[in-house]
Amino acid sequence: MELHIFGAATPSGEAFRQLATSNRHNWRLHTYSRQPADQHSNTHPADFNHPADFRPGGSPDGSGIWISFGPIWLLAPFLEQLAAHHPERLSGLCGLIACSSSSALTKRFAANSFDRELAARLIGAEELLITTTRNLQVPCRILRPTLIYGQVGPYGDRNLSRLVQLMRCLPFLPLPSETGLRQPIHALQLANVAVTLADQLAHPRVDGAASEPLATPDRISLGGDIELSYSAMIKALQMALPPGDPARRCRFVPIPNRLFFSLAAPLQLCSPTAFEALLRIGADLAGFTPSHQLLGQPAQRFPVLPLA
């Protein structure tokens, strides 16, 4: 089985590459990049904006699974164009795993148009991927992770790491006294789930005389193993840092919710998206499938290391 990895230059993509090359799997990996590829490696050129130039690596007759950690709104039309105009380049495709975002759910009803358009773009891309893969008669799994964090190799997240940077710069950080729930997922946890799904697609179980894999949802809303409040999340994040880290000196100042959001209200005049991000601190953005349930492993405490 050959695995074709798009978006490998991300924390989850790098984690997937490391896990998939372990001794536990007999897979051959092909990674794709817009940068010039090394002719002696299994990295190949690919640009989602130029499907006509795409040439899959590996054996033309080999069975392959695509795994993408790249932008799903670019992947979907890329695959559709290949299926319509160059179907021979997909002849070995036997499964697709793509990473979307929980923003498809959480930002559908945002007050600002930017977030609503992002949710619509994600949902539209998911629908297009599902339609294309069904026409190709190929199973598709779309992961909707929430709040990815962590460091893998040279790649770090741009979510919780920004909070750490903020704590390093500020002596104190005001927070609403009542904050909503979060379910952050480490890049390694997300990659582990993708590896498990790839293994299922590579070795499908069958039910009785049926020849299709057992039913699995097309879309999986995915979170980490622990649900905790926003304030508990950043406190746990702070305590996981080395003792000498400047962020350890930051103090959190709880402010009554009404006062906090009233003080933040002028921000909506200059940055509606930033104001909405502050509003979401008080909202519950959890309740997703914990990664450990899909992996059949004990739950991991937050935060999983290493951090960015």
Side-chain angles (χ1 to χ4, degrees), residues 146-215:
T146 178
L147 200 55
I148 304 170
Y149 72 96
Q151 178 90 22
V152 183
Y155 307 109
D157 75 272
R158 297 181 182 179
N159 293 316
L160 296 190
S161 61
R162 290 178 175 175
L163 277 174
V164 173
Q165 291 297 333
L166 191 61
M167 288 189 285
R168 286 171 179 156
C169 297
L170 299 177
F172 63 89
L173 185 64
L175 288 173
S177 54
E178 298 180 10
T179 58
L181 294 175
R182 293 296 185 273
Q183 199 177 346
I185 182 170
H186 196 281
L188 282 166
Q189 294 173 299
L190 174 57
N192 252 313
V193 170
V195 167
T196 297
L197 292 176
D199 196 41
Q200 292 174 2
L201 293 178
H203 308 95
R205 294 170 54 203
V206 294
D207 187 6
S211 59
E212 293 299 321
L214 290 174

Side-chain angles (χ1 to χ4, degrees), residues 41-62:
S41 72
N42 280 340
T43 299
H44 313 279
D47 188 333
F48 283 162
N49 293 310
H50 300 285
D53 298 334
F54 175 70
R55 299 293 186 279
S59 170
D61 301 323

Side-chain angles (χ1 to χ4, degrees), residues 36-301:
D38 183 348
Q39 62 178 344
H40 301 296
S41 72
N42 280 340
T43 299
H44 313 279
D47 188 333
F48 283 162
N49 293 310
H50 300 285
D53 298 334
F54 175 70
R55 299 293 186 279
S59 170
D61 301 323
S63 297
I65 298 172
W66 283 19
I67 299 95
S68 175
F69 297 97
I72 192 172
W73 56 86
L74 297 179
L75 171 67
F78 174 77
L79 183 65
E80 181 196 36
Q81 289 297 308
L82 283 175
H85 302 292
H86 304 282
E88 72 283 355
R89 300 178 195 173
L90 301 174
S91 59
L93 182 64
C94 63
L96 171 70
I97 300 167
C99 200
S100 181
S101 170
S102 63
S103 294
L105 297 172
T106 60
K107 295 184 178 180
R108 285 181 302 166
F109 307 110
N112 69 89
S113 59
F114 178 85
D115 284 341
R116 291 197 306 273
E117 288 168 3
L118 172 61
R121 183 167 51 169
L122 289 168
I123 293 170
E126 292 173 2
E127 295 288 353
L128 181 57
L129 266 188
I130 290 171
T131 298
T132 303
T133 51
R134 282 179 179 170
N135 290 338
L136 292 169
Q137 298 184 339
V138 168
C140 175
R141 305 289 181 263
I142 295 175
L143 296 174
R144 287 173 161 180
T146 178
L147 200 55
I148 304 170
Y149 72 96
Q151 178 90 22
V152 183
Y155 307 109
D157 75 272
R158 297 181 182 179
N159 293 316
L160 296 190
S161 61
R162 290 178 175 175
L163 277 174
V164 173
Q165 291 297 333
L166 191 61
M167 288 189 285
R168 286 171 179 156
C169 297
L170 299 177
F172 63 89
L173 185 64
L175 288 173
S177 54
E178 298 180 10
T179 58
L181 294 175
R182 293 296 185 273
Q183 199 177 346
I185 182 170
H186 196 281
L188 282 166
Q189 294 173 299
L190 174 57
N192 252 313
V193 170
V195 167
T196 297
L197 292 176
D199 196 41
Q200 292 174 2
L201 293 178
H203 308 95
R205 294 170 54 203
V206 294
D207 187 6
S211 59
E212 293 299 321
L214 290 174
T216 301
D218 289 330
R219 283 172 266 216
I220 304 171
S221 297
L222 183 66
D225 297 343
I226 302 297
E227 291 185 9
L228 68 172
S229 70
Y230 187 95
S231 57
M233 177 185 73
I234 62 173
K235 289 174 184 176
L237 190 66
Q238 183 186 51
M239 296 308 296
L241 296 171
D245 195 297
R248 293 288 292 265
R249 296 194 292 268
C250 183
R251 296 292 177 261
F252 305 116
V253 180
I255 297 176
N257 284 42
R258 287 188 179 181
L259 178 58
F260 180 90
F261 295 122
S262 296
L263 293 173
L267 186 60
Q268 62 186 312
L269 298 176
C270 57
S271 179
T273 55
F275 176 67
E276 190 123 18
L278 289 179
L279 286 181
R280 284 196 293 271
I281 293 177
D284 288 340
L285 303 178
F288 305 110
T289 302
S291 60
H292 75 94
Q293 285 189 6
L294 296 174
L295 298 173
Q297 299 174 354
Q300 293 182 276
R301 299 185 63 182

